[in-house]
Amino acid sequence: MGAQQTLRASVHPVMRDTIHTMNTPLPKPVIRPRRLRRNPAIRRIVRETRLHRAHLIQPMFIVPGLGVQRPVVSMPGIEQHSIDQALREAERIRNLDLGGIILFGIPESKDPLGSDAYDEQGIVQRAAREIKKEIPDLYVIADVCLCEFTDHAHCGQLKGHDVDNDATLELLGRTATSLADAGVDMVAPSGMMDGMVAAIRSALDRADHSAIPILSYAVKYASAYYGPFRDAADNTPSFGDRRAYQMDPANRREALREATLDVEEGADMLMVKPALAYLDIVRDLKERFDLPIAAYNVSGEYAMIKAAAENGWIDEERLVMESLISMRRAGADMILTYHAEYMAERL
Ligand code: PBG
Ligand code: ZN
């Protein structure tokens, strides 16, 4: 009898298994997920989500003047461009083979009705016309909202201190039509007005622009992550905030309701904004709807990464990649991001 058997025989049967495991080697795992992580070659083969330049849209801010390239302080690496400079920037973006650009404009002068937004000679219309003339193969999306153009910086025409939803619809229809006339490839209404997609669809169709798709900011939350954008686009409301039209960050079911309405109104793509804090919503929309889904990786998300990187606290390239791949994994087909150019150089 060996020592171990002597011990086993001397203890109560209930205890025997315990002693057994104490004295024999642990069973070896047969199934080992690590086999498929051993080196870059196999990791590349089994990777489930990919990020391609074509998925990325670079936002651009157009300002009046000539030769203007003004850094946005809260968004290191991002500049406001006058139209001549925007052309050079657009050419760089085309050469990087990104998915495209989305244009925001800061007009020479603002008024209560945001009339530059739907002026044939408006800042975005002129920029779009020039860009499409010089670089026709660059895909150009135009943001459709009034807040950069109104002197009060709310997203529509006011009635007292409230945005007059239905009066605003008419202006949004005119804005989208004039942008399509200027040659943009897609319009992206971001003002969270009820019925905005239907109003824009019908205005475009009446103006012979039935081929122009609508990317709806269907689910746009009233978010503190938009802080730096207000510097870039000069659209801080002169009173109050946007919580009476943008969504409450606490709400998930309401996002489905908003998206359903936009699909019924004829949206071609649905966007969720911001991105990282709302990946559950991106996933919800991806599962419920058959339209392509976009995520807007907004200014505050960008600024946080830049600030931490400038302090040497994080690895910028890895963090940007991880953030963008998470948006793709959640279900975003397209990502609007200020990191687009940076990332294109590294993909
Ligand atoms: C305006 C608009 C905003 C953004 C895009 N379009 C700001 C806002 O609603 O206050 C935010 C973009 C960003 O933060 O990067 N309708
Ligand atoms: Zn707006």
Side-chain angles (χ1 to χ4, degrees):
M1 252 197 203
Q4 195 181 325
Q5 280 166 306
T6 314
L7 178 63
R8 283 177 67 83
S10 69
V11 297
H12 189 277
V14 184
M15 293 299 292
R16 276 181 197 155
D17 281 349
T18 312
I19 291 163
H20 176 77
T21 52
M22 279 165 55
N23 288 290
T24 53
L26 285 170
K28 291 205 175 263
V30 172
I31 296 168
R32 295 177 181 272
R34 285 184 55 194
R35 289 178 191 128
L36 299 184
R37 294 180 205 138
R38 287 187 68 201
N39 58 48
I42 185 62
R43 289 198 294 271
R44 191 169 73 125
I45 291 167
V46 300
R47 188 158 296 140
E48 297 175 39
T49 311
R50 285 174 203 279
L51 181 64
H52 190 274
R53 292 157 181 233
H55 298 133
L56 303 177
I57 305 291
Q58 177 77 46
M60 283 180 64
F61 300 102
I62 314 294
V63 293
L66 210 68
V68 182
Q69 263 188 292
R70 190 181 307 128
V72 178
V73 176
S74 52
M75 301 176 72
I78 299 296
E79 291 163 332
Q80 298 174 324
H81 302 276
S82 52
I83 292 173
D84 58 312
Q85 297 299 312
L87 277 171
R88 299 174 48 188
E89 171 70 359
E91 189 146 13
R92 279 193 292 276
I93 291 170
R94 194 269 315 272
N95 293 338
L96 285 169
D97 205 24
L98 286 169
I101 58 176
I102 180 163
L103 296 177
F104 295 92
I106 296 96
E108 190 91 55
S109 66
K110 308 190 184 212
D111 58 38
L113 295 181
S115 57
D116 196 88
Y118 38 92
D119 187 329
E120 197 185 327
Q121 293 305 319
I123 182 88
V124 183
Q125 284 81 354
R126 283 189 290 129
R129 224 175 274 123
E130 297 259 339
I131 291 169
K132 289 304 293 186
K133 188 175 80 194
E134 299 291 322
I135 315 160
D137 54 342
L138 178 64
Y139 200 82
V140 177
I141 306 171
D143 185 83
V144 175
C145 197
L146 299 180
C147 55
E148 292 105 26
F149 304 92
T150 50
D151 51 12
H152 45 75
H154 276 287
C155 299
Q157 181 177 336
L158 294 182
K159 188 156 72 185
H161 272 191
D162 198 20
V163 172
D164 183 342
N165 190 91
D166 298 7
T168 300
L169 294 182
E170 147 85 18
L171 303 180
L172 294 177
R174 283 166 65 181
T175 303
T177 303
S178 72
L179 290 164
D181 288 343
V184 305
D185 296 291
M186 177 183 269
V187 292
S190 63
M192 291 298 282
M193 294 299 120
D194 295 336
M196 68 181 183
V197 172
I200 289 170
R201 185 71 272 156
S202 104
L204 287 173
D205 291 354
R206 273 183 278 126
D208 216 16
H209 287 305
S210 57
I212 300 295
I214 300 174
L215 162 63
S216 179
Y217 290 65
V219 185
K220 180 175 179 179
Y221 288 93
S223 172
Y225 283 104
Y226 305 150
F229 181 91
R230 310 239 156 122
D231 297 339
D234 183 31
N235 72 338
T236 307
S238 58
F239 64 88
D241 54 41
R242 296 193 172 86
R243 282 181 246 210
Y245 35 103
Q246 298 178 349
M247 274 181 52
D248 184 333
N251 293 358
R252 176 179 175 196
R253 282 152 44 88
E254 189 185 358
L256 299 175
R257 185 156 190 254
E258 281 285 1
T260 301
L261 285 169
D262 284 6
V263 172
E264 286 167 358
E265 291 179 28
D268 297 280
M269 295 181 73
L270 299 172
M271 183 144 65
V272 174
K273 180 183 174 186
L276 272 187
Y278 300 87
L279 293 185
D280 55 334
I281 309 299
V282 173
R283 168 55 53 191
D284 282 345
L285 262 57
K286 183 70 165 205
E287 283 173 359
R288 295 287 174 111
F289 303 99
D290 296 331
L291 280 61
I293 304 298
Y296 199 136
N297 176 216
V298 301
S299 57
E301 301 175 65
Y302 176 85
M304 292 195 303
I305 289 185
K306 284 289 178 183
E310 283 183 4
N311 277 294
W313 293 339
I314 48 108
D315 178 333
E316 179 173 5
E317 184 172 341
R318 286 190 59 197
L319 196 54
V320 172
M321 185 65 193
E322 187 175 331
S323 303
L324 299 176
I325 209 79
S326 304
M327 294 166 205
R328 294 269 306 139
R329 195 193 60 235
D333 297 287
M334 178 166 104
I335 303 170
L336 285 68
T337 176
Y338 303 97
H339 299 292
E341 266 190 271
Y342 171 90
M343 212 55 233
E345 289 161 359
R346 292 163 175 80
L347 284 174

